[in-house]
Amino acid sequence: MSRFEQRYHQMVVWLVLLILMLPLLATLGYALATEWGATILPRGLTLRWFLELWRDPRFLVSLGHSMLICFGALLFSLLLVLPAMFVIAWAFPRLDALMNVLILLPFSVPPVVSSVGLLQMYASGPVAITGTPWILIGCYFTIALPFIYRAIANNMQAINLQELLDAAHLLGASTWRAAWLVVLPNLRQGVMIAVLLSFSFLIGEFVFANLLAGTNYETLQVYLYNKRNDSGHFTSALVISYFLVVLLVTWLSNYLNRGKR
C-alpha cells in the first residue's frame, strides 16, 4: 500500500468518525451552553446543568437502580447460560441448532405485548412483583440471553472446546476441573464482550422499565422520560452523563480484562 493510499484510508476513517460524533458533540455543546438559540455557536459555557444533575438525589437513585438491574440480569444470565452451554458443547453438540432458535424467541414478541401479559400475570396473586426490580431482572435476562449466548458460543468454537477437554483428560483432570481451570479462562474474552454488549443495550431499555416498574422503581431511562419537559440543557447533560457512564464501565472492564492476560 502506497503512502497516498494509506493517508486516503486514514482520512476516510476520520471523516466517518467525525460524522458519527457530530450528534454527540452537538449534545455536549448544548449541555455546556448558557444559552444557544438563534446563533450558530453558544453564547457562553457553564457547568451548571451537570452540577444540577449530579446533585439531584433522584438521578443518583435511578442510576443505581439501572446498574443494579443490569448487572443482576447479567449475573443471572451468566450463571445459567455458561454451564448450559458447556454441557451442550461437550455432550450434546446437536442441540446447538435448537438453541440458536430458542434464544431468538424473546425478539419474536414485541416488548409492549410482553409487558401487558406480564402485568396480568404478576400484578396480583402469590407472585406480585410488578413495580419491583425482580420483574425487570427477569425481563432483562431474556433480552440479554441472545447476546450472551452468541458471543460465548463463537468463543467456544474459536478455542476448540473438545480438544481442550481431551488434553485436560489426558493430564488427569476431571471434566469439571478442566472446565473451571482450562475452559473458563479461555472464555474470559468472549464473556467480557457478551457482558459489555448486553450492558450497553440493557441500560438503554425503556419499554419494560416504564410499563412494569415506572416511578415505583425508576431507572435511568424512565428518569430521562419524566424529565423530558424540563430544560433542554438539563436533558442534554443527562444524555452525556449516560454516555459517559457506559464509556466508563466499558473502559474499566477492558482494563481489568487486560490486566489478567
Side-chain angles (χ1 to χ4, degrees):
M1 182 183 296
S2 65
R3 185 181 298 273
F4 173 77
E5 291 177 336
Q6 185 176 5
R7 289 183 177 179
Y8 172 75
H9 292 160
Q10 290 176 351
M11 184 180 66
V12 171
V13 170
W14 282 107
L15 181 61
V16 172
L17 182 62
L18 179 61
I19 293 174
L20 294 175
M21 291 293 293
L22 275 177
L24 188 63
L25 292 175
T27 305
L28 176 61
Y30 199 70
L32 294 172
T34 54
E35 185 179 353
W36 197 355
T39 58
I40 296 178
L41 297 176
R43 295 183 179 179
L45 299 178
T46 180
L47 292 175
R48 169 194 168 188
W49 310 110
F50 284 99
L51 294 175
E52 183 178 338
L53 173 67
W54 286 93
R55 288 173 179 171
D56 185 3
R58 184 178 168 188
F59 164 73
L60 297 177
V61 170
S62 65
L63 177 60
H65 287 172
S66 292
M67 290 292 192
L68 178 63
I69 293 171
C70 290
F71 285 114
L74 292 173
L75 179 62
F76 180 46
S77 301
L78 290 176
L79 292 177
L80 184 65
V81 171
L82 266 177
M85 290 186 65
F86 174 76
V87 172
I88 291 174
W90 173 55
F92 307 102
R94 294 184 179 180
L95 291 180
D96 184 62
L98 177 62
M99 289 298 299
N100 287 327
V101 176
L102 293 178
I103 61 172
L104 296 177
L105 290 180
F107 290 110
S108 63
V109 182
V112 175
V113 178
S114 300
S115 299
V116 172
L118 291 170
L119 283 172
Q120 293 180 349
M121 185 176 298
Y122 296 110
S124 59
V127 190
I129 56 175
T130 55
T132 69
W134 307 113
I135 192 169
L136 293 181
I137 289 176
C139 291
Y140 285 11
F141 162 75
T142 62
I143 297 174
L145 183 60
F147 299 103
I148 291 179
Y149 185 88
R150 278 272 37 104
I152 298 178
N154 292 338
N155 199 185
M156 280 188 174
Q157 293 174 2
I159 66 173
N160 203 331
L161 179 66
Q162 291 291 348
E163 289 187 2
L164 278 179
L165 289 175
D166 291 341
H169 289 158
L170 288 175
L171 294 173
S174 64
T175 300
W176 294 109
R177 185 177 177 83
W180 180 257
L181 298 178
V182 179
V183 176
L184 190 59
N186 282 278
L187 293 178
R188 186 175 62 246
Q189 186 175 6
V191 170
M192 189 64 64
I193 293 173
V195 168
L196 292 178
L197 182 63
S198 302
F199 174 79
S200 61
F201 187 82
L202 292 179
I203 199 171
E205 200 284 325
F206 171 73
V207 177
F208 284 121
N210 188 46
L211 293 179
L212 297 179
T215 55
N216 291 327
Y217 197 82
E218 193 175 48
T219 62
L220 193 58
Q221 291 299 319
V222 176
Y223 174 81
L224 176 59
Y225 175 77
N226 293 331
K227 290 288 186 177
R228 68 190 185 280
N229 294 325
D230 289 1
S231 170
H233 301 282
F234 182 84
T235 53
S236 296
L238 176 55
V239 171
I240 295 298
S241 298
Y242 159 78
F243 175 79
L244 291 177
V245 168
V246 175
L247 188 64
L248 178 62
V249 171
T250 303
W251 174 83
L252 182 61
S253 300
N254 288 330
Y255 177 78
L256 295 175
N257 189 42
R258 185 169 60 249
K260 293 180 180 180
R261 290 179 183 176

